[in-house]
Amino acid sequence: MKIEQNILDAANNWLTPTFDIETQEQIKKMIASSPKELEESFYKNLEFGTGGMRGIMGAGINRINKYTLGKSTQGLSDYLHTVFPNQSIKVAIAYDCRHNSNTLAKIVADVFSANSIEVYLFSDLRPTPELSFAVRHLGCQCGIVLTASHNPPEYNGYKVYWEDGGQIVPPEDKAIINSIENLNYDQIKFDANEDLIHYTDKEVDQAFIKSSIENASFNTPADAKENLSIVFTSLHGTSIVSVPETLSQAGYTNVHIVEEQAVPNGDFPTVKSPNPEEPEALAMALALADKTNADIVVGTDPDCDRLGVAVRNNEGQMILLNGNQSMILMTAFLLEQWKKAGKINGKQFVGSTIVSTPMVMELATNYGVECKIGLTGFKWIAKMIKDFPELEFIGGGEESFGFMVGDAVRDKDAVAATLLICEVAAQAKAKGSSVYKELLQLYVDHGFYKEHLVAITKKGIEGLQEINQMMINLRENPLKEINGQRVIMMEDYQSSIAKNLLSGEEETMAIPKSNVLIYYTEDGSKICARPSGTEPKIKFYISTNAELYDVEDFEEADTILNEKIKNIISDLGIK
């Protein structure tokens, strides 16, 4: 194929002495024999999305490498000196199990130190939530974690946290991006000041685990903890260094670890995808659960911010909970514990996101607690804590299998959440119930909400164009009817306009702009379309609901809602 001139110009810029010989050789090889790979590597700059910067490792401006991370770190360093003038600036850095994460983390540390910024670098892999905790614990202005969450092995990434322990949000994000874009690659300072790089491990580890136990333990009797049989898998990721120890110190001794997946490995050799949202990722854990007759299975993704949970249904079979279900169980449990302790007085809130189940609002209302809804991503829930200091944060989550317990960690946190869901399970079993039975009772008490996610992958330049066109079509030609139900409202978060499609009335939404569309139908169904900020995907989030008068009616109601979801998918023309 012909190489476009703009691609060739961008690649030739990387054949200068600014870039090392190895990088130049990689690019020469692409020019000579891999024009498609060259195009993918240079057609755009790697961007910050909802989870920071994430991409395939390799040479080029659209790849994760020494220079793209170095440039981001140099721009961030310049910005830190601007907003914290005449201060001693400190940054914490952690990394996960991915290929090159430790090397890239040291490069990032080098650039910070070369810019007279003090660095606290973990000497080995750590969970992402521990980095969020460390930022505040060490009094840092900023934090970085090298991770690509559950993406395939060829990916890595770079997430930026601010002094509150949450990921960057406006106005910092745009200001940092501007600082980065104003740089040339030859302005990166790679020569480290080793005197400013400190390795930090046990002191933060111990404080992090202690905090996790304090936030996620609720007076569960010791015998109830011992009686709960748990299967845990780290899916070759970072949680192995924190979750088993946290469970042990909290009193959960009956824990079976999937040993084949306990060794950190960036190739994730036993799974197609190290994503606990996908059933096959937990196949080995489920097999061990049947072998040991375990009550609950928990699996975490490589950077330990998401968790997948499986529990036994009324027939004794292991079933996987989706992210909305686990969030509902943990939120309801927290609210009940706070109520029992007499801590609810109207000055508390829980947090969630626009793509998550509306059931969380029903729960919060029932307990007299405010429910704040933000854009997709835990950085917006963390921002709620910062924006409303007069309110106590109880917990928060979203459908993407993440949950945050209290405010010690300002990001989704599978360490504390694993302990919390075990508390739910242990207390339920102790009273002759189960996690599954508790979930069905919540449906009876607050309404049966059933959600479904359709994620469509469209890779490369053409894929991005297809995704963009799908959103344009949904905006410019809004559906008037879905599953035989009239669409009564459309929320466009890109224009910040909510439009009543029956009356034509419009109102402005007071929420940051984002490329998200939500349709509401007259029967209470909700359909959300959103391109991913970190993966080549467009996601459709479908929420349906029905009243459930008795747990005995669950199967019938579930069948009805499944059929409704199937019809919605058909009407949308997606699979």
Side-chain angles (χ1 to χ4, degrees), residues 44 46-47 51-58 61-65 68-69 98-99 104 147-149 151-158 533-536:
K44 67 171 184 174
L46 199 61
E47 299 170 353
M53 187 167 65
R54 193 183 303 179
I56 295 170
M57 289 178 279
I61 60 176
N62 189 37
R63 294 290 184 256
I64 292 288
N65 53 63
T68 53
L69 292 190
R98 289 183 173 271
H99 298 305
L104 292 171
T147 178
S149 187
N151 282 67
E154 64 267 25
Y155 280 75
N156 215 317
Y158 179 94
T534 55
E535 301 173 274

Side-chain angles (χ1 to χ4, degrees), residues 183-200:
L183 286 171
N184 296 320
Y185 285 101
D186 59 7
Q187 294 176 276
I188 305 168
K189 299 175 183 177
F190 283 115
D191 294 328
N193 179 348
E194 297 291 348
D195 291 340
L196 291 178
I197 300 176
H198 316 292
Y199 291 91
T200 182

Side-chain angles (χ1 to χ4, degrees), residues 139-159:
C140 297
Q141 286 88 351
C142 181
I144 303 290
V145 62
L146 279 295
T147 178
S149 187
H150 56 270
N151 282 67
E154 64 267 25
Y155 280 75
N156 215 317
Y158 179 94
K159 291 171 72 172

Side-chain angles (χ1 to χ4, degrees), residues 2 9 33 35 50 110 154 203 356 378 386 494 499 572:
K2 179 186 175 183
D9 290 344
S33 58
T50 55
D110 290 348
E154 64 267 25
E203 185 263 332
S356 302
F378 275 73
K386 186 166 60 173
Q494 189 160 275
K499 183 176 182 179
L572 290 173

